[in-house]
């Protein structure tokens, strides 16, 4: 049987779809029903080699083009993505289960933003002139070569573009490996780039599990690795890249704090907590899953939150009215159920949710625990599902110490009407991405990334350019050169 979502072939190499049936089969599953919607194959050694060779060859010519020429292609790709936003969003919903209400505004659109932003920036990339008396030094911003991108399953199109756009703008080529759970949309990104005029081989997609990722990371043909994934995977990938002295960007997991003071606008704070815990069914790396609420407003906060959660529309993800979809996979559902059981067992108060929904597919209720303490498993480990932990606090000094008492440092947020306190708290957070009276905004113009175990490097903004290029310094002597003998 062929499915409407079945890609032409598993991989996209050197400007075209490529298949190798010898690779291990991977079923692509629609999370809302559990149905198989496509069948693909993992990359074999031959496919990996083909993709890396194509990227190496294409990179040389791509880097010779001017920034204006490269940028024009990326911006054209951004326009095509926007024109096809509906179809791309439907595909993303098939692949991830996320409601169309989300995919139509947050996936291909944010991928297009990255292509447009870095496309615009490509022509501005330049070195520096440093005068040294008569002599001078100039710097040349050069590409790194072949970059490997490895993605997680929560934002497949966005991750493929957030890595591809800056890499290509700088004159690199990329081999991208999507998550094995959501392999479909990165193929569309590659197809669109080629349609926009990208030379064959500059952006390639290969499929597979961790073993394919590991083979790419350790390959000597690779100069840089950018991973979006969990901390344990990040440790392995970073170590393997270090052995080859490769550049890395690590976008990893988190257990971010959201601190709500008693002077906050209650509805805004509840909105922040909803966005930072239940958007994409809680499968967002920067989620503020430790919600610290100042004691005086705790019950009012929980009452308003429970009331607002009652308005969630849980159902067919393709229906534009649906605002809460399924988990991405059976395995992720089981992991999250395990954490919910742990929360109950360790004495947290289950305020709402906690159960699987009785229907096909991988559905969990939005879940809120209150009376959570810092030592509980649900307050320490990344759950990556729709589970909010509400913790009490008395004062600012105490809550800052507790908010930072974690190995993670991806994001953090504060809700308060006190301006000085808002900035003091943001300054005190040990996190790469902070929010004041909002949560989880990720515009392409702003750097995004983690501190501590949550990662290395930054995506988006001009900061990403530093992670996809290197500077060559050229010293120019104008006079005679003296030597000791
Ligand atoms: P994961 O770590 O299991 O897998 C991520 C990717 O790495 C997948 O493509 C996987 O196939 C690949 N991989 C696994 N083992 C590998 C190895 N040894 N070598 C090379 N590649 C390997 O993560 P996931 O379950 O797909 O995604 C969820 C995690 O991603 C969460 O921890 C989440 O916080 C994190 N995440 C982070 C960001 C961010 O920007 N910081 C964004 C989204 C998700």
């Amino acid at each position: 049987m062929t499915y409407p979502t079945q890609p032409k072939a598993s991989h996209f190499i050197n400007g075209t779809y490529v298949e190798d049936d010898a690779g291990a089969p991977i079923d692509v599953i629609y999370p809302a029903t559990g149905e198989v919607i496509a069948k693909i194959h993992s990359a074999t050694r031959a496919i990996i080699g083909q993709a890396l060779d194509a990227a190496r060859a294409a990179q040389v010519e791509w880097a010779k083009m001017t920034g204006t020429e490269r940028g024009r292609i990326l911006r054209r790709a951004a326009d095509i993505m926007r024109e096809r936003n509906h179809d791309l969003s439907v595909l993303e919903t098939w692949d991830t289960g996320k409601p169309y209400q989300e995919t139509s505004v947050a996936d291909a659109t944010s991928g297009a933003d990255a292509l447009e932003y870095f496309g615009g920036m490509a022509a501005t990339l330049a070195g520096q002139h440093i005068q040294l008396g008569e002599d001078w030094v100039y710097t040349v911003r050069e590409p790194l070569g072949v970059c490997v991108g490895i993605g997680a399953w929560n934002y497949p199109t966005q991750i493929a573009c957030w890595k591809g756009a800056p890499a290509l703008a700088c004159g690199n080529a990329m081999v991208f490996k999507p998550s094995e759970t959501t392999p479909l949309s990165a193929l569309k990104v590659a197809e669109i780039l080629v349609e926009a005029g990208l030379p064959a081989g500059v952006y390639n997609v290969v499929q597979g599990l961790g073993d394919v990722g590991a083979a790419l990371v350790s390959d000597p043909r690779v100069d840089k690795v950018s991973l979006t994934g969990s901390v344990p995977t990040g440790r392995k990938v970073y170590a393997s890249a270090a052995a080859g002295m490769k550049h890395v960007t690590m976008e990893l997991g988190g257990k971010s704090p959201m601190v709500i003071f008693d002077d906050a606008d209650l509805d805004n704070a509840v909105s922040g907590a909803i966005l930072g815990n239940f958007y994409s069914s809680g499968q967002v790396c920067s989620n503020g899953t430790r919600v610290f609420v100042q004691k005086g407003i705790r019950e009012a906060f929980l009452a308003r939150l429970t009331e607002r959660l009652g308005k969630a529309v849980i159902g067919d993800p393709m229906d534009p009215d649906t605002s809460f979809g399924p988990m991405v996979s059976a395995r992720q559902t089981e992991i999250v159920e395990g954490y919910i059981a742990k929360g109950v067992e360790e004495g947290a108060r289950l305020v709402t949710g906690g159960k699987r929904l009785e229907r096909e597919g991988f559905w969990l209720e939005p879940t809120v625990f209150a009376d959570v303490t810092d030592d509980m498993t649900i307050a320490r480990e990344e759950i990556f599902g729709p589970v909010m932990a509400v913790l009490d606090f008395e004062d600012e000094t105490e809550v800052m110490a507790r908010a930072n008492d974690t190995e993670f440092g991806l994001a953090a947020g504060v809700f308060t009407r006190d301006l000085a306190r808002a900035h003091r708290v943001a300054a005190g957070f040990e996190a790469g991405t902070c929010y004041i009276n909002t949560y989880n905004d990720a515009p392409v113009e702003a750097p995004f990334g983690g501190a501590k175990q949550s990662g290395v490097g930054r995506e988006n903004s001009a900061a990403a350019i530093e992670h996809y290029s290197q500077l060559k310094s050229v010293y120019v002597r104008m006079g005679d050169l003296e030597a000791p003998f």
Side-chain angles (χ1 to χ4, degrees):
M1 143 173 206
T2 45
Y3 315 90
T5 37
Q6 177 70 39
K8 279 183 212 155
S10 302
H11 320 287
F12 193 96
I13 298 173
N14 215 12
T16 186
Y17 278 94
V18 177
E19 193 56 88
D20 182 351
D21 293 341
I26 299 174
D27 284 348
V28 187
I29 291 168
Y30 182 38
T33 60
E35 287 165 82
V36 175
I37 55 163
K39 285 178 180 282
I40 58 162
H41 293 275
S42 183
T44 54
R45 279 261 152 209
I47 287 286
I48 294 171
Q50 215 177 310
L52 289 173
D53 286 343
R56 274 226 91 78
Q59 192 268 327
V60 179
E61 294 308 312
W62 176 241
K64 282 184 192 160
M65 288 167 67
T66 66
T68 307
E69 288 165 337
R70 287 200 298 270
R72 193 178 300 139
I73 292 169
L74 298 185
R75 285 183 293 107
R76 214 179 277 145
D79 290 344
I80 300 175
M81 281 189 83
R82 288 218 177 83
E83 280 158 24
R84 299 201 191 140
N85 184 44
H86 171 74
D87 289 351
L88 293 169
S89 304
V90 169
L91 185 69
E92 193 81 317
T93 292
W94 280 115
D95 214 5
T96 61
K98 294 192 295 179
Y100 177 82
Q101 192 184 92
E102 289 188 16
T103 55
S104 56
V105 296
D107 290 273
T109 52
S110 73
D113 283 353
L115 290 164
E116 185 172 3
Y117 180 87
F118 289 106
M121 192 173 267
T124 72
L125 302 179
Q128 207 187 3
H129 167 100
I130 305 158
Q131 194 69 42
L132 298 163
E134 274 196 339
D135 294 354
W136 48 286
V137 168
Y138 63 90
T139 61
V140 185
R141 188 167 287 284
E142 296 186 334
L144 301 173
V146 172
C147 302
V148 160
I150 300 177
W153 39 255
N154 55 348
Y155 283 82
T157 307
Q158 183 186 84
I159 295 171
C161 294
W162 279 18
K163 298 190 187 309
L168 270 47
C170 291
N172 302 286
M174 175 159 273
V175 176
F176 185 79
K177 188 199 86 63
S179 164
E180 58 275 23
T181 312
T182 54
L184 302 180
S185 15
L187 293 167
K188 290 287 171 199
V189 172
E191 224 183 277
I192 287 171
L193 281 164
V194 167
E195 196 178 325
L198 190 76
V202 176
Y203 189 91
N204 309 276
V205 175
V206 299
Q207 308 289 356
L209 281 70
D211 60 326
V212 173
L216 287 167
V217 174
S218 62
D219 196 287
R221 285 166 285 191
V222 173
D223 303 289
K224 193 232 153 87
V225 178
S226 177
L227 168 78
T228 296
S230 61
V231 172
T233 304
R235 288 200 184 99
K236 283 188 224 159
V237 170
Y238 200 173
S240 169
M245 209 57 81
K246 292 170 189 169
H247 299 251
V248 295
T249 300
M250 295 281 144
E251 289 292 349
L252 308 177
K255 188 75 197 176
S256 301
M258 184 182 300
V259 179
I260 301 172
F261 286 94
D262 58 11
D263 68 340
D265 180 294
L266 192 66
D267 260 306
N268 282 342
V270 169
S271 294
I274 289 172
L275 286 170
N277 281 272
F278 301 120
Y279 202 72
S280 301
S281 297
Q283 303 164 114
V284 179
C285 52
S286 48
N287 271 355
T289 48
R290 288 183 296 142
V291 180
F292 291 91
V293 181
Q294 205 160 12
K295 256 192 183 145
I297 57 161
R298 181 189 57 191
E299 291 312 316
F301 173 85
L302 289 174
R304 191 78 185 107
L305 176 68
T306 313
E307 187 192 329
R308 297 262 304 266
L309 285 177
K311 295 182 184 156
V313 181
I314 306 176
D316 175 6
M318 295 295 176
D319 182 339
D321 289 332
T322 296
S323 57
F324 186 86
M327 300 298 299
V328 78
S329 64
R331 185 175 142 64
Q332 192 60 21
T333 313
E334 281 157 23
I335 291 172
V336 177
E337 278 185 306
Y339 278 111
I340 293 171
K342 261 253 160 23
V344 172
E345 190 187 306
E346 293 181 6
R349 165 161 63 107
L350 185 60
V351 176
T352 183
K355 292 191 298 295
R356 221 177 235 257
L357 296 180
E358 290 304 321
R359 57 175 79 182
E360 297 296 306
F362 319 125
W363 297 82
L364 281 175
E365 292 175 331
T367 299
V368 177
F369 280 106
D371 304 340
V372 176
T373 53
D374 297 346
D375 55 327
M376 289 181 185
T377 310
I378 57 167
R380 302 222 64 82
E381 298 181 13
E382 183 182 46
I383 298 175
F384 224 60
V387 182
M388 184 194 298
V390 178
L391 305 93
D392 302 337
F393 75 95
E394 303 268 359
D395 65 48
E396 187 182 322
T397 311
E398 169 217 333
V399 78
M400 290 310 287
R402 291 170 59 201
N404 287 331
D405 182 20
T406 166
E407 61 168 348
F408 300 107
L410 187 55
V414 55
F415 281 84
T416 177
R417 285 196 178 97
D418 179 337
L419 196 64
R421 177 160 62 190
H423 293 289
R424 196 168 56 233
V425 166
F429 278 142
E430 295 169 2
T433 310
C434 297
Y435 304 99
I436 295 176
N437 292 332
T438 184
Y439 208 84
N440 265 350
D441 310 68
V444 69
E445 297 87 347
F448 180 86
K452 294 157 84 174
Q453 297 292 305
S454 292
V456 174
R458 291 293 176 266
E459 294 199 303
N460 289 342
S461 78
I465 297 299
E466 297 300 326
H467 302 291
Y468 284 101
S469 61
Q470 57 192 343
L471 289 176
K472 172 183 280 173
S473 295
V474 181
Y475 192 109
V476 182
R477 186 173 295 280
M478 299 300 285
D480 290 333
L481 185 59
E482 282 180 26
F485 51 85

